[in-house]
Amino acid sequence: MKKIILLILLMCSTTGLAAGKEVRIGVNGMVCAFCAQGITKKFKNEAAVESVEVNLGEKRVKLILKENQDIPDAKIQEILIDSGFNVTKIERT
Amino acid sequence: MTAASFVGFTGQMQAHPTSFKGAVGVMTWNQPFLSDYWVTYSYTHYAAVAARAMRMEMPEGEYVVYFPQADFLLKRWNNPDSQANIYAYGGAGVAKFLERQGHAEQVGIEVDAESRTWFVMGKWETMWSNVAERFDHGEFRLGLAPYEAEFSEIASWFMIQYQYHPSLKEDYVITPLYRVFYKSFLVEAGVSIEGDMMTNFMFHF
C-alpha cells in the first residue's frame, strides 16, 4: 500500500514536468521588444535554462534547457505573468 | 536637486508606470518648458513605487516638485497581435515656486494600445499645490513603425505628440518625434512646431 501511495505522489509531483531539451511557449501581448526584456532576464535566472529566444513575429518564447534539467509549466506561467504577458500554450520536444 | 540640474531635459512620452516584476526603470522627458524624471521599482507587474521630480516653466517663473509616487496597472489586454493598458498613479511631496515652499499632490491616468506597427496613447494628470496654481497636463500620441522589428533588432517609430497644459508658458504643443529602442534602452527626439527640442530617455534593468 505504501508503495502505491509513493508511486501516486511521485506521479503527482512530476505533473507539469516533461523531459525535453526545448520548450516552446506561445505568448499573447508580446508586441514590443522593449517591454518584453523582462522575459529573457527572468528565464536566464532559472537554473534549468541554458538559453532564451524571443520571437515577436511567431509570438513565442523558446527555451533551451540544460541537460537532464527541466522547468515546470507552473514556473513558466509564473514568469510570463510576472513579465506582464499571457501564456497560450506550452510545447516540449 | 536644483532647477539647474534639469537643464537639457523636459517633456513627455508615454511612461512605463509599471514594468516586469523586479524591474527598475529610469525615465526622463525633456522640453524647455517641462522636465519630468521618474525612477520606478515594480514589485509586481501591476504595481510600482517611484521617485519623481518635475520642473515646469509657468508664466511667473519656475515651479519644481519632488514626490514619491505609487503606480498601478489597472487593466491589461494581452491579445495575439496587440496590447492595451490602463495605468493610474498618484503621489504627494514638496513644491517650490517663486521662493515659496509648500506641498503638492498629484494624480494621473494613462491609456495606451499598440501593435508592432501602430501605437496610440492618451494621458491626463493634475497637480495641486499651496504655492502654485493647479497644473493640468493632457497628452495624446499616435505612432507608426516603418517595419516590424524583431526582438533583437533596433526598433524605429515615427510619432506625433499633442500636449495641453494651460498653466505653462506654452499651453499646447505639437511635436513630431522619432523613437528608437534596442533591448532595454529607448531614446526619443523631436522638435515642436514652435521649435522646442524634445529629448526623452528610458531604461529598464
Side-chain angles (χ1 to χ4, degrees):
Chain A
M1 185 62 183
K2 281 183 182 174
K3 284 183 180 174
I4 293 170
I5 292 170
L6 278 172
L7 187 62
I8 290 168
L9 286 172
L10 187 64
M11 287 172 69
C12 290
S13 70
T14 55
T15 302
L17 285 174
K21 297 264 191 307
E22 190 174 305
V23 185
R24 288 171 178 265
I25 310 154
V27 183
N28 268 358
M30 204 169 58
V31 294
C32 159
F34 184 72
C35 312
Q37 292 297 322
I39 293 173
T40 52
K41 184 178 176 182
K42 287 190 168 292
F43 276 119
K44 281 178 179 174
N45 286 339
E46 289 299 309
V49 176
E50 180 74 42
S51 66
V52 186
E53 180 190 302
V54 176
N55 190 308
L56 302 181
E58 295 179 7
K59 307 169 191 64
R60 65 143 172 86
V61 175
K62 186 169 84 175
L63 307 179
I64 305 295
L65 302 181
K66 290 175 183 169
E67 201 172 334
N68 300 321
Q69 296 210 41
D70 212 332
I71 181 168
D73 286 2
K75 189 66 186 175
I76 293 171
Q77 290 266 8
E78 180 189 323
I79 286 173
L80 282 155
I81 288 169
D82 283 347
S83 300
F85 303 99
N86 295 130
V87 175
T88 57
K89 63 180 176 183
I90 300 173
E91 296 173 343
R92 295 166 187 272
T93 55
Chain B
M1 191 182 293
T2 65
S5 66
F6 286 118
V7 170
F9 294 103
T10 3
Q12 287 288 351
M13 65 181 164
Q14 110 283 358
H16 277 189
T18 68
S19 185
F20 58 90
K21 183 182 177 182
V24 174
V26 178
M27 296 168 266
T28 73
W29 299 274
N30 314 287
Q31 290 166 292
F33 48 85
L34 178 63
S35 303
D36 199 357
Y37 296 81
W38 294 33
V39 178
T40 63
Y41 172 72
S42 297
Y43 53 94
T44 73
H45 76 277
Y46 55 84
V49 289
R52 188 172 177 191
M54 295 178 75
R55 176 192 61 85
M56 294 147 278
E57 287 296 331
M58 314 287 267
E60 303 85 4
E62 189 176 78
Y63 175 29
V64 183
V65 293
Y66 312 94
F67 52 91
Q69 181 173 279
D71 302 347
F72 300 99
L73 170 65
L74 299 182
K75 178 69 179 171
R76 169 166 287 166
W77 291 267
N78 278 323
N79 303 313
D81 296 305
S82 64
Q83 186 188 73
N85 303 288
I86 302 174
Y87 298 98
Y89 43 85
V94 178
K96 186 178 176 186
F97 182 55
L98 302 178
E99 303 306 317
R100 287 178 288 164
Q101 289 200 10
H103 56 82
E105 298 78 36
Q106 176 266 2
V107 293
I109 189 161
E110 183 174 316
V111 179
D112 65 49
E114 65 182 308
S115 74
R116 294 177 68 200
T117 52
W118 56 263
F119 170 84
V120 60
M121 185 277 294
K123 67 180 275 185
W124 185 267
E125 57 185 342
T126 296
M127 185 186 303
W128 300 268
S129 172
N130 62 343
V131 296
E133 70 172 286
R134 194 177 83 184
F135 172 69
D136 291 317
H137 180 199
E139 192 176 304
F140 181 73
R141 269 194 184 203
L142 283 173
L144 288 173
Y147 59 92
E148 291 187 339
E150 246 315 322
F151 186 73
S152 55
E153 294 175 337
I154 294 173
S156 297
W157 287 79
F158 295 102
M159 294 188 168
I160 188 154
Q161 172 179 286
Y162 171 79
Q163 290 165 277
Y164 173 71
H165 24 56
S167 54
L168 295 192
K169 270 184 177 173
E170 299 188 51
D171 56 356
Y172 73 90
V173 179
I174 297 170
T175 309
L177 63 110
Y178 176 65
R179 166 189 286 187
V180 60
F181 60 84
Y182 177 66
K183 294 191 174 177
S184 296
F185 191 64
L186 183 151
V187 179
E188 294 181 331
V191 180
S192 75
I193 290 170
E194 294 79 14
D196 293 317
M197 271 290 293
M198 182 176 74
T199 51
N200 307 326
F201 306 95
M202 191 184 288
F203 183 67
H204 284 148
F205 55 93

PDB file of all heavy atoms in Angstrom, chain B residues 177-199:
ATOM      1  N   LEU B 177       8.077  63.404 -33.620  1.00  0.00           N
ATOM      2  CA  LEU B 177       9.292  62.869 -32.992  1.00  0.00           C
ATOM      3  C   LEU B 177       9.645  61.504 -33.562  1.00  0.00           C
ATOM      4  O   LEU B 177       8.825  60.839 -34.199  1.00  0.00           O
ATOM      5  CB  LEU B 177       9.114  62.783 -31.469  1.00  0.00           C
ATOM      6  CG  LEU B 177       8.012  61.848 -30.964  1.00  0.00           C
ATOM      7  CD1 LEU B 177       8.626  60.645 -30.287  1.00  0.00           C
ATOM      8  CD2 LEU B 177       7.098  62.578 -29.999  1.00  0.00           C
ATOM      9  N   TYR B 178      10.861  61.126 -33.301  1.00  0.00           N
ATOM     10  CA  TYR B 178      11.380  59.824 -33.729  1.00  0.00           C
ATOM     11  C   TYR B 178      11.777  59.043 -32.493  1.00  0.00           C
ATOM     12  O   TYR B 178      12.459  59.570 -31.608  1.00  0.00           O
ATOM     13  CB  TYR B 178      12.586  60.039 -34.652  1.00  0.00           C
ATOM     14  CG  TYR B 178      13.281  58.769 -35.085  1.00  0.00           C
ATOM     15  CD1 TYR B 178      12.636  57.836 -35.883  1.00  0.00           C
ATOM     16  CD2 TYR B 178      14.599  58.520 -34.707  1.00  0.00           C
ATOM     17  CE1 TYR B 178      13.283  56.669 -36.288  1.00  0.00           C
ATOM     18  CE2 TYR B 178      15.250  57.363 -35.108  1.00  0.00           C
ATOM     19  CZ  TYR B 178      14.580  56.446 -35.898  1.00  0.00           C
ATOM     20  OH  TYR B 178      15.221  55.291 -36.295  1.00  0.00           O
ATOM     21  N   ARG B 179      11.329  57.822 -32.418  1.00  0.00           N
ATOM     22  CA  ARG B 179      11.669  56.930 -31.288  1.00  0.00           C
ATOM     23  C   ARG B 179      12.502  55.775 -31.811  1.00  0.00           C
ATOM     24  O   ARG B 179      12.207  55.193 -32.850  1.00  0.00           O
ATOM     25  CB  ARG B 179      10.392  56.384 -30.653  1.00  0.00           C
ATOM     26  CG  ARG B 179      10.643  55.206 -29.714  1.00  0.00           C
ATOM     27  CD  ARG B 179       9.365  54.534 -29.250  1.00  0.00           C
ATOM     28  NE  ARG B 179       8.663  55.354 -28.265  1.00  0.00           N
ATOM     29  CZ  ARG B 179       7.588  54.926 -27.610  1.00  0.00           C
ATOM     30  NH1 ARG B 179       7.093  53.726 -27.837  1.00  0.00           N
ATOM     31  NH2 ARG B 179       7.001  55.717 -26.734  1.00  0.00           N
ATOM     32  N   VAL B 180      13.531  55.438 -31.068  1.00  0.00           N
ATOM     33  CA  VAL B 180      14.331  54.272 -31.407  1.00  0.00           C
ATOM     34  C   VAL B 180      14.633  53.521 -30.111  1.00  0.00           C
ATOM     35  O   VAL B 180      14.858  54.146 -29.073  1.00  0.00           O
ATOM     36  CB  VAL B 180      15.628  54.674 -32.164  1.00  0.00           C
ATOM     37  CG1 VAL B 180      16.508  55.585 -31.326  1.00  0.00           C
ATOM     38  CG2 VAL B 180      16.405  53.468 -32.618  1.00  0.00           C
ATOM     39  N   PHE B 181      14.539  52.213 -30.150  1.00  0.00           N
ATOM     40  CA  PHE B 181      14.949  51.462 -28.968  1.00  0.00           C
ATOM     41  C   PHE B 181      15.616  50.158 -29.360  1.00  0.00           C
ATOM     42  O   PHE B 181      15.369  49.577 -30.424  1.00  0.00           O
ATOM     43  CB  PHE B 181      13.789  51.222 -27.985  1.00  0.00           C
ATOM     44  CG  PHE B 181      12.612  50.449 -28.524  1.00  0.00           C
ATOM     45  CD1 PHE B 181      12.628  49.067 -28.545  1.00  0.00           C
ATOM     46  CD2 PHE B 181      11.469  51.109 -28.949  1.00  0.00           C
ATOM     47  CE1 PHE B 181      11.533  48.343 -29.005  1.00  0.00           C
ATOM     48  CE2 PHE B 181      10.372  50.397 -29.410  1.00  0.00           C
ATOM     49  CZ  PHE B 181      10.405  49.011 -29.436  1.00  0.00           C
ATOM     50  N   TYR B 182      16.495  49.742 -28.472  1.00  0.00           N
ATOM     51  CA  TYR B 182      17.223  48.488 -28.635  1.00  0.00           C
ATOM     52  C   TYR B 182      17.367  47.850 -27.261  1.00  0.00           C
ATOM     53  O   TYR B 182      17.859  48.477 -26.331  1.00  0.00           O
ATOM     54  CB  TYR B 182      18.595  48.748 -29.258  1.00  0.00           C
ATOM     55  CG  TYR B 182      19.440  47.508 -29.400  1.00  0.00           C
ATOM     56  CD1 TYR B 182      19.059  46.495 -30.274  1.00  0.00           C
ATOM     57  CD2 TYR B 182      20.592  47.342 -28.653  1.00  0.00           C
ATOM     58  CE1 TYR B 182      19.824  45.342 -30.400  1.00  0.00           C
ATOM     59  CE2 TYR B 182      21.360  46.202 -28.777  1.00  0.00           C
ATOM     60  CZ  TYR B 182      20.967  45.203 -29.651  1.00  0.00           C
ATOM     61  OH  TYR B 182      21.718  44.054 -29.766  1.00  0.00           O
ATOM     62  N   LYS B 183      16.875  46.622 -27.155  1.00  0.00           N
ATOM     63  CA  LYS B 183      16.867  45.928 -25.865  1.00  0.00           C
ATOM     64  C   LYS B 183      16.195  46.813 -24.805  1.00  0.00           C
ATOM     65  O   LYS B 183      15.058  47.196 -24.969  1.00  0.00           O
ATOM     66  CB  LYS B 183      18.272  45.480 -25.491  1.00  0.00           C
ATOM     67  CG  LYS B 183      18.780  44.412 -26.465  1.00  0.00           C
ATOM     68  CD  LYS B 183      20.031  43.747 -25.991  1.00  0.00           C
ATOM     69  CE  LYS B 183      20.370  42.590 -26.949  1.00  0.00           C
ATOM     70  NZ  LYS B 183      21.610  41.918 -26.601  1.00  0.00           N
ATOM     71  N   SER B 184      16.922  47.182 -23.753  1.00  0.00           N
ATOM     72  CA  SER B 184      16.284  47.895 -22.639  1.00  0.00           C
ATOM     73  C   SER B 184      16.481  49.401 -22.686  1.00  0.00           C
ATOM     74  O   SER B 184      16.183  50.089 -21.713  1.00  0.00           O
ATOM     75  CB  SER B 184      16.849  47.382 -21.299  1.00  0.00           C
ATOM     76  OG  SER B 184      16.532  46.034 -21.119  1.00  0.00           O
ATOM     77  N   PHE B 185      16.977  49.919 -23.800  1.00  0.00           N
ATOM     78  CA  PHE B 185      17.286  51.344 -23.862  1.00  0.00           C
ATOM     79  C   PHE B 185      16.472  52.018 -24.954  1.00  0.00           C
ATOM     80  O   PHE B 185      16.485  51.573 -26.100  1.00  0.00           O
ATOM     81  CB  PHE B 185      18.780  51.538 -24.100  1.00  0.00           C
ATOM     82  CG  PHE B 185      19.225  52.958 -23.924  1.00  0.00           C
ATOM     83  CD1 PHE B 185      19.126  53.582 -22.690  1.00  0.00           C
ATOM     84  CD2 PHE B 185      19.728  53.675 -24.984  1.00  0.00           C
ATOM     85  CE1 PHE B 185      19.519  54.894 -22.516  1.00  0.00           C
ATOM     86  CE2 PHE B 185      20.128  54.991 -24.834  1.00  0.00           C
ATOM     87  CZ  PHE B 185      20.028  55.602 -23.591  1.00  0.00           C
ATOM     88  N   LEU B 186      15.765  53.080 -24.589  1.00  0.00           N
ATOM     89  CA  LEU B 186      14.879  53.787 -25.519  1.00  0.00           C
ATOM     90  C   LEU B 186      15.220  55.269 -25.533  1.00  0.00           C
ATOM     91  O   LEU B 186      15.430  55.875 -24.483  1.00  0.00           O
ATOM     92  CB  LEU B 186      13.431  53.564 -25.073  1.00  0.00           C
ATOM     93  CG  LEU B 186      12.299  54.136 -25.921  1.00  0.00           C
ATOM     94  CD1 LEU B 186      11.045  53.257 -25.772  1.00  0.00           C
ATOM     95  CD2 LEU B 186      11.961  55.572 -25.560  1.00  0.00           C
ATOM     96  N   VAL B 187      15.268  55.835 -26.734  1.00  0.00           N
ATOM     97  CA  VAL B 187      15.555  57.259 -26.895  1.00  0.00           C
ATOM     98  C   VAL B 187      14.509  57.856 -27.828  1.00  0.00           C
ATOM     99  O   VAL B 187      14.107  57.212 -28.807  1.00  0.00           O
ATOM    100  CB  VAL B 187      16.958  57.481 -27.517  1.00  0.00           C
ATOM    101  CG1 VAL B 187      17.226  58.964 -27.710  1.00  0.00           C
ATOM    102  CG2 VAL B 187      18.035  56.877 -26.642  1.00  0.00           C
ATOM    103  N   GLU B 188      14.094  59.070 -27.524  1.00  0.00           N
ATOM    104  CA  GLU B 188      13.198  59.805 -28.411  1.00  0.00           C
ATOM    105  C   GLU B 188      13.750  61.208 -28.602  1.00  0.00           C
ATOM    106  O   GLU B 188      14.296  61.797 -27.657  1.00  0.00           O
ATOM    107  CB  GLU B 188      11.801  59.918 -27.811  1.00  0.00           C
ATOM    108  CG  GLU B 188      11.092  58.595 -27.682  1.00  0.00           C
ATOM    109  CD  GLU B 188       9.701  58.743 -27.102  1.00  0.00           C
ATOM    110  OE1 GLU B 188       9.473  59.685 -26.324  1.00  0.00           O
ATOM    111  OE2 GLU B 188       8.849  57.908 -27.419  1.00  0.00           O
ATOM    112  N   ALA B 189      13.565  61.728 -29.808  1.00  0.00           N
ATOM    113  CA  ALA B 189      13.976  63.100 -30.079  1.00  0.00           C
ATOM    114  C   ALA B 189      12.982  63.722 -31.044  1.00  0.00           C
ATOM    115  O   ALA B 189      12.487  63.049 -31.959  1.00  0.00           O
ATOM    116  CB  ALA B 189      15.388  63.144 -30.662  1.00  0.00           C
ATOM    117  N   GLY B 190      12.683  64.986 -30.824  1.00  0.00           N
ATOM    118  CA  GLY B 190      11.758  65.684 -31.697  1.00  0.00           C
ATOM    119  C   GLY B 190      11.903  67.179 -31.552  1.00  0.00           C
ATOM    120  O   GLY B 190      12.569  67.674 -30.639  1.00  0.00           O
ATOM    121  N   VAL B 191      11.271  67.894 -32.483  1.00  0.00           N
ATOM    122  CA  VAL B 191      11.235  69.356 -32.425  1.00  0.00           C
ATOM    123  C   VAL B 191       9.792  69.771 -32.659  1.00  0.00           C
ATOM    124  O   VAL B 191       9.164  69.341 -33.626  1.00  0.00           O
ATOM    125  CB  VAL B 191      12.147  69.989 -33.496  1.00  0.00           C
ATOM    126  CG1 VAL B 191      12.089  71.512 -33.406  1.00  0.00           C
ATOM    127  CG2 VAL B 191      13.584  69.514 -33.324  1.00  0.00           C
ATOM    128  N   SER B 192       9.264  70.592 -31.756  1.00  0.00           N
ATOM    129  CA  SER B 192       7.864  71.001 -31.873  1.00  0.00           C
ATOM    130  C   SER B 192       7.687  71.968 -33.040  1.00  0.00           C
ATOM    131  O   SER B 192       8.660  72.525 -33.562  1.00  0.00           O
ATOM    132  CB  SER B 192       7.407  71.655 -30.569  1.00  0.00           C
ATOM    133  OG  SER B 192       7.945  72.962 -30.483  1.00  0.00           O
ATOM    134  N   ILE B 193       6.453  72.191 -33.403  1.00  0.00           N
ATOM    135  CA  ILE B 193       6.148  73.134 -34.483  1.00  0.00           C
ATOM    136  C   ILE B 193       6.661  74.527 -34.123  1.00  0.00           C
ATOM    137  O   ILE B 193       7.072  75.295 -34.991  1.00  0.00           O
ATOM    138  CB  ILE B 193       4.628  73.118 -34.756  1.00  0.00           C
ATOM    139  CG1 ILE B 193       4.260  71.781 -35.408  1.00  0.00           C
ATOM    140  CG2 ILE B 193       4.207  74.299 -35.629  1.00  0.00           C
ATOM    141  CD1 ILE B 193       2.793  71.510 -35.517  1.00  0.00           C
ATOM    142  N   GLU B 194       6.686  74.834 -32.819  1.00  0.00           N
ATOM    143  CA  GLU B 194       7.194  76.140 -32.354  1.00  0.00           C
ATOM    144  C   GLU B 194       8.721  76.150 -32.252  1.00  0.00           C
ATOM    145  O   GLU B 194       9.321  77.166 -31.918  1.00  0.00           O
ATOM    146  CB  GLU B 194       6.603  76.476 -30.981  1.00  0.00           C
ATOM    147  CG  GLU B 194       5.101  76.702 -30.977  1.00  0.00           C
ATOM    148  CD  GLU B 194       4.305  75.401 -31.006  1.00  0.00           C
ATOM    149  OE1 GLU B 194       4.900  74.326 -30.768  1.00  0.00           O
ATOM    150  OE2 GLU B 194       3.106  75.459 -31.283  1.00  0.00           O
ATOM    151  N   GLY B 195       9.362  75.011 -32.457  1.00  0.00           N
ATOM    152  CA  GLY B 195      10.822  74.949 -32.454  1.00  0.00           C
ATOM    153  C   GLY B 195      11.457  74.472 -31.161  1.00  0.00           C
ATOM    154  O   GLY B 195      12.672  74.571 -30.991  1.00  0.00           O
ATOM    155  N   ASP B 196      10.661  73.950 -30.239  1.00  0.00           N
ATOM    156  CA  ASP B 196      11.213  73.457 -28.965  1.00  0.00           C
ATOM    157  C   ASP B 196      11.734  72.035 -29.119  1.00  0.00           C
ATOM    158  O   ASP B 196      11.016  71.141 -29.569  1.00  0.00           O
ATOM    159  CB  ASP B 196      10.134  73.475 -27.863  1.00  0.00           C
ATOM    160  CG  ASP B 196       9.726  74.894 -27.503  1.00  0.00           C
ATOM    161  OD1 ASP B 196      10.626  75.734 -27.377  1.00  0.00           O
ATOM    162  OD2 ASP B 196       8.516  75.144 -27.365  1.00  0.00           O
ATOM    163  N   MET B 197      12.960  71.828 -28.673  1.00  0.00           N
ATOM    164  CA  MET B 197      13.572  70.497 -28.709  1.00  0.00           C
ATOM    165  C   MET B 197      12.947  69.577 -27.655  1.00  0.00           C
ATOM    166  O   MET B 197      12.584  70.024 -26.572  1.00  0.00           O
ATOM    167  CB  MET B 197      15.073  70.591 -28.402  1.00  0.00           C
ATOM    168  CG  MET B 197      15.971  70.811 -29.604  1.00  0.00           C
ATOM    169  SD  MET B 197      16.053  69.379 -30.681  1.00  0.00           S
ATOM    170  CE  MET B 197      16.910  68.211 -29.641  1.00  0.00           C
ATOM    171  N   MET B 198      12.858  68.313 -27.992  1.00  0.00           N
ATOM    172  CA  MET B 198      12.430  67.318 -27.011  1.00  0.00           C
ATOM    173  C   MET B 198      13.395  66.142 -27.058  1.00  0.00           C
ATOM    174  O   MET B 198      13.714  65.632 -28.136  1.00  0.00           O
ATOM    175  CB  MET B 198      11.019  66.832 -27.331  1.00  0.00           C
ATOM    176  CG  MET B 198      10.511  65.832 -26.312  1.00  0.00           C
ATOM    177  SD  MET B 198       8.816  65.349 -26.646  1.00  0.00           S
ATOM    178  CE  MET B 198       9.088  64.302 -28.057  1.00  0.00           C
ATOM    179  N   THR B 199      13.888  65.736 -25.899  1.00  0.00           N
ATOM    180  CA  THR B 199      14.749  64.544 -25.813  1.00  0.00           C
ATOM    181  C   THR B 199      14.295  63.718 -24.618  1.00  0.00           C
ATOM    182  O   THR B 199      14.219  64.222 -23.495  1.00  0.00           O
ATOM    183  CB  THR B 199      16.230  64.933 -25.637  1.00  0.00           C
ATOM    184  OG1 THR B 199      16.339  65.846 -24.559  1.00  0.00           O
ATOM    185  CG2 THR B 199      16.809  65.535 -26.895  1.00  0.00           C
TER     186      THR B 199
END
